[in-house]
Amino acid sequence: MFKNAQSFKVEYFECQTKGVMSDSILQNWTLSAFECYKLNCKCKNCPIKKAGYSFKCKMKYVVEELLKTKGLPNEAEILGASSIVA
C-alpha cells in the first residue's frame, strides 16, 4: 500500500483525565451539548465531526450524563430568550 511505511510518524496522546469527565462540563447544558442532543448524538451528522478535528468527540457521553443529572435541556435557557422566535 505505502512504499515507505516507516517514514510515517504517528503520535498518540493519552487522555489527561484518565477517562473521567470534568465536573465543569457536567454542570449545565451548553450549546454544544444541546446541539449534540438535537442530533440524537449521531456523530455522522455533527459539524464537529465534519470539521476533521484530530480528537474523538465525547459529547454523547456528556449528553447522557446531563440527561441523568439535569434532565431535558431547556432550549430557551440555552439559546437565550431573545434568540427564540415564536
Side-chain angles (χ1 to χ4, degrees):
M1 188 171 189
F2 295 108
K3 292 182 180 180
N4 188 1
Q6 293 176 347
S7 67
F8 289 97
K9 185 177 181 181
V10 178
E11 290 184 59
Y12 293 97
F13 297 95
E14 186 176 330
C15 180
Q16 298 297 314
T17 62
K18 306 279 190 244
V20 177
M21 285 186 266
S22 168
D23 286 339
S24 63
I25 198 166
L26 301 174
Q27 294 297 313
N28 299 301
W29 280 95
T30 63
L31 182 57
S32 296
F34 178 65
E35 289 173 349
C36 184
Y37 169 79
K38 284 182 19 181
L39 292 172
N40 293 316
C41 301
K42 301 287 185 207
C43 297
K44 68 178 183 169
N45 299 326
C46 181
I48 292 173
K49 172 81 172 176
K50 293 175 183 175
Y53 288 99
S54 62
F55 62 89
K56 183 171 176 159
C57 182
K58 303 288 187 201
M59 188 57 73
K60 64 183 171 184
Y61 304 111
V62 171
V63 169
E64 288 174 6
E65 194 62 30
L66 286 168
L67 286 169
K68 287 180 202 172
T69 60
K70 302 294 180 186
L72 294 172
N74 180 329
E75 185 172 1
E77 192 175 283
I78 295 165
L79 300 177
S82 62
S83 301
I84 307 294
V85 178

